[in-house]
Amino acid sequence: MVYCGKPSKGCGECRSRKVRCDQAQPACSQCTRAKRDCPGYRDQLALMFRDESKSVVRKAIAASTYKHKRAERLPRTAVPEGNPVRSELETPVVDPDFDFNSDPQHIYLMRQLANLNCPSGIQPSYDVEIAKYEAICYFLRSNALPGSFWTSETIPNFLLQTGGPASQRAMQACVVATATAMLSRIRRIPSLREVAHREYGSALRLLNAALADPEEAKTNQTLGAVILLSIYEVVTSRATADVHGWTNHINGATALLDIRGSDQLKTNVGLRLFLHLRYQIIVSCLQRDARVPESLLECTKIVMFLQPAEAHGNRLSMIIAKLSNLRADIRANMYNDEQQIISAASAIEAELIAWLAALPPEFSYTTHVKSPFDFAFQRRFRGISPYDDQYHVYPTQWVCNSWNQYRSARIIVSEIILFRVRKMSDSSSLASLSEEFQLHCRTLRLTIRRLAVEICRSVPFYLKAYAADREASLPPPESYIGGLILLWHLFVAGVVENPRHGLRRWVVKCLEMIGNTMGIDQALAVADIVAADPGVLHSVTEEED
């Protein structure tokens, strides 16, 4: 028997009209005055307690069957006893047994996605279909999609639409492919990985069809599909050679930005997509020692007028673009001697210092020390303690990312200066350099080390490990995209010191944690690259500080 709450004592007519009933006998006063037949009153005891046994048994059998099937599909990895760090690293960021139905936003999304058709005509088993819905809900909840029309309130309706232009269908396939790829790694479901692979192929075919139409190629849906494909590559690229897949999609997005021109900045959605891609394109150019497209810089100048409140972010992007162009010019042997390169790099360094000096108070952050007895922090951080037990707290994730963009750029430009000084000393003598210049080089080494440490201290904020009120088995909305953004900054910080240094080992462990618990395979590839790198300071100078 189930208690169903206290029912209304009014007669049927008063309850249907939603008016107060005086429960008079043999008929209520409302019905008597209106000259209606009073239907009488209900049995209160029978209403307060109902026999729900059959319903409960039916639901329990269904839930047990679903969990049993999922348990067969998810064999537990044996973990040696007494190794809590490894145990945490092998724990998915979303617990396989976590009840998504406890999350109100998930309930809302699941209701809207209940009628979602199976992708590409494939009819997976019922439990895979449920997991697919949960994948899309988790993806939307994780805030992985930029743009104002990609919200949890609007995208379910967008996903349920049938037909439409190729660009729209391509983005639908991209959402399903990327979402299922994420959850297949988090929950280790091979059948979902197959769904993701099929949807990825379907998305590529639809995207090619959209790109063949000049008008379709300019739509937000086409550009959004390309962004999603780049995220898919980050999620699924485990081998270091596969990292180029992300670069190819970013190059494709760059070509689309050229086609869209400045008209893309006239709408809020187009502007958001541009800002998201601008950062990705500049990072890609930095990685490849390539020049930043001139069209992107021209659009950034327009954005400076459209967004005067975001002047610091736009200005920083222009400085980092100059840094990428400098690396491209060095690679193309555009400079006559080392002194010219040092002068150009020093000018960029001066711009970064000026940017830092002009920051407003809202860019301030605080540094905290983790208590040795705060075991919950390490549990939320998946078995890893903050580097040197200190971490930062920023006003917003955007502020945190701006700081790390500055730090990464400052490390790279300082490395250029130190490396060129080393080459000059090889041809002459380090003693021939002025004492002031030698002092500047020592300052640069200290700055590089300090900035690398600060990047490491920002990691708990990205993953919200310090938030004590979060459910341990479900990450906050910012954590997944925080893991994606961290890959570049952790790489820059990780290669500063030699392979035996504690900071290097901490960065590798952190990247492995992101890869294993969030299912971002590219983090594991970056961890391999960082572990094998000789180190920036080792390569630029042998002088001991």
Side-chain angles (χ1 to χ4, degrees):
M1 305 299 287
V2 178
Y3 177 68
C4 301
K6 187 176 181 180
S8 171
K9 295 181 180 180
C11 70
E13 185 67 26
C14 290
R15 283 186 287 105
S16 64
R17 297 176 61 233
K18 296 181 180 180
V19 297
R20 186 179 181 83
C21 181
D22 60 6
Q23 304 166 35
Q25 295 290 346
C28 74
S29 302
Q30 295 280 7
C31 293
T32 302
R33 282 197 299 269
K35 298 181 180 181
R36 291 190 298 266
D37 292 334
C38 183
Y41 309 101
R42 300 179 295 177
D43 184 350
Q44 294 292 299
L45 186 62
L47 291 171
M48 291 174 67
F49 293 93
R50 291 200 298 268
D51 187 358
E52 295 284 345
S53 301
K54 293 182 179 180
S55 176
V56 171
V57 169
R58 186 173 61 253
K59 292 179 180 179
I61 292 174
S64 176
T65 303
Y66 173 62
K67 287 188 176 181
H68 178 69
K69 288 182 179 180
R70 190 166 64 186
E72 292 178 342
R73 192 176 58 247
L74 292 169
R76 296 287 183 176
T77 304
V79 180
E81 295 183 2
N83 192 345
V85 172
R86 181 181 173 188
S87 175
E88 292 289 351
L89 287 176
E90 294 182 351
T91 302
V93 72
V94 176
D95 189 341
D97 296 324
F98 179 79
D99 183 12
F100 275 88
N101 292 325
S102 63
D103 182 18
Q105 186 179 19
H106 178 80
I107 295 173
Y108 168 78
L109 292 171
M110 286 288 286
R111 286 174 179 172
Q112 296 212 49
L113 292 168
N115 297 319
L116 183 63
N117 294 326
C118 295
S120 304
I122 301 168
Q123 296 295 330
S125 61
Y126 179 70
D127 55 345
V128 172
E129 189 70 9
I130 291 177
K132 185 185 70 178
Y133 300 155
E134 290 184 346
I136 297 172
C137 294
Y138 171 69
F139 184 65
L140 299 176
R141 187 186 183 282
S142 298
N143 198 26
L145 296 175
S148 61
F149 71 106
W150 302 12
T151 64
S152 58
E153 288 77 17
T154 60
I155 203 167
N157 294 329
F158 171 79
L159 288 170
L160 291 171
Q161 294 174 5
T162 58
S167 60
Q168 177 175 302
R169 287 180 285 133
M171 195 172 133
Q172 289 173 333
C174 287
V175 169
V176 178
T178 308
T180 50
M182 286 179 177
L183 202 61
S184 71
R185 279 150 179 78
I186 292 171
R187 290 192 170 177
R188 299 163 191 161
I189 307 177
S191 53
L192 268 186
R193 189 179 303 119
E194 295 172 4
V195 173
H197 183 71
R198 287 191 290 260
E199 282 301 307
Y200 180 76
S202 176
L204 287 177
R205 291 191 295 272
L206 291 167
L207 185 58
N208 287 332
L211 293 173
D213 186 332
E215 293 303 318
E216 281 290 296
K218 297 180 181 180
T219 62
N220 291 329
Q221 286 85 353
T222 299
L223 187 58
V226 175
I227 295 176
L228 283 168
L229 290 180
S230 68
I231 296 176
Y232 178 91
E233 293 292 344
V234 173
V235 171
T236 60
S237 298
R238 172 62 183 89
T240 54
D242 295 337
V243 176
H244 298 298
W246 173 80
T247 303
N248 292 335
H249 288 305
I250 293 299
N251 289 340
T254 304
L256 287 180
L257 289 181
D258 291 339
I259 295 173
R260 288 159 61 94
S262 59
D263 290 341
Q264 65 187 304
L265 307 176
K266 294 180 180 179
T267 65
N268 185 45
V269 172
L271 181 60
R272 285 176 175 267
L273 288 171
F274 170 78
L275 293 176
H276 173 81
L277 269 175
R278 181 181 66 182
Y279 171 72
Q280 299 293 326
I281 291 170
I282 292 177
V283 168
S284 175
C285 291
L286 276 171
Q287 293 175 351
R288 297 178 291 115
D289 292 341
R291 292 190 66 84
V292 176
E294 193 63 32
S295 57
L296 185 140
L297 300 179
E298 291 299 324
C299 285
T300 299
K301 293 177 183 177
I302 298 174
V303 172
M304 287 182 172
F305 290 100
L306 297 176
Q307 289 187 313
E310 308 293 340
H312 298 285
N314 292 321
R315 184 182 171 201
L316 181 60
S317 294
M318 294 292 284
I319 298 173
I320 299 175
K322 289 182 182 179
L323 175 59
S324 182
N325 290 345
L326 172 62
R327 285 164 62 96
D329 291 343
I330 294 173
R331 184 177 184 179
N333 296 319
M334 300 291 290
Y335 292 93
N336 297 325
D337 54 44
E338 306 299 335
Q339 189 60 52
Q340 288 185 349
I341 297 175
I342 293 174
S343 297
S346 297
I348 294 176
E349 179 193 31
E351 288 193 57
L352 287 170
I353 295 173
W355 178 87
L356 180 65
L359 285 181
E362 52 265 30
F363 272 71
S364 301
Y365 61 88
T366 55
T367 302
H368 302 260
V369 179
K370 185 189 81 69
S371 167
F373 304 104
D374 188 358
F375 302 109
F377 189 108
Q378 189 164 343
R379 192 164 55 249
R380 290 189 297 270
F381 207 14
R382 302 294 155 181
I384 301 178
S385 292
Y387 183 70
D388 64 11
D389 283 333
Q390 297 187 48
Y391 62 95
H392 294 164
V393 175
Y394 298 82
T396 65
Q397 188 174 6
W398 181 81
V399 170
C400 180
N401 195 43
S402 296
W403 271 102
N404 278 343
Q405 288 184 51
Y406 157 78
R407 290 164 182 152
S408 297
R410 187 85 185 272
I411 289 174
I412 293 172
V413 75
S414 298
E415 184 270 336
I416 292 175
I417 296 173
L418 289 175
F419 182 75
R420 296 298 152 176
V421 170
R422 172 67 184 274
K423 293 194 70 173
M424 288 177 62
S425 66
D426 288 343
S427 59
S428 57
S429 171
L430 195 62
S432 64
L433 301 176
S434 67
E435 183 178 347
E436 181 181 357
F437 202 77
Q438 293 183 45
L439 177 61
H440 180 60
C441 290
R442 286 194 292 270
T443 303
L444 285 178
R445 286 192 292 274
L446 292 174
T447 299
I448 288 176
R449 288 191 166 107
R450 174 178 56 81
L451 294 174
V453 169
E454 289 179 358
I455 289 175
C456 294
R457 289 177 180 172
S458 72
V459 174
F461 180 83
Y462 273 106
L463 306 182
K464 298 300 184 209
Y466 66 90
D469 58 342
R470 297 300 309 183
E471 169 61 47
S473 61
L474 192 65
E478 303 87 349
S479 65
Y480 199 99
I481 195 166
L484 294 171
I485 294 173
L486 271 173
L487 299 187
W488 168 245
H489 301 309
L490 282 175
F491 167 77
V492 174
V495 299
V496 165
E497 301 288 358
N498 67 73
R500 299 181 303 276
H501 196 278
L503 185 142
R504 170 78 67 94
R505 294 198 299 269
W506 186 90
V507 167
V508 170
K509 185 186 297 185
C510 193
L511 287 167
E512 290 174 346
M513 178 269 291
I514 293 173
N516 290 323
T517 65
M518 290 188 172
I520 303 176
D521 283 359
Q522 196 170 104
L524 302 176
V526 176
D528 292 341
I529 297 173
V530 171
D533 193 277
V536 168
L537 294 180
H538 173 76
S539 62
V540 298
T541 181
E542 296 176 350
E543 179 183 348
E544 295 294 334
D545 293 322

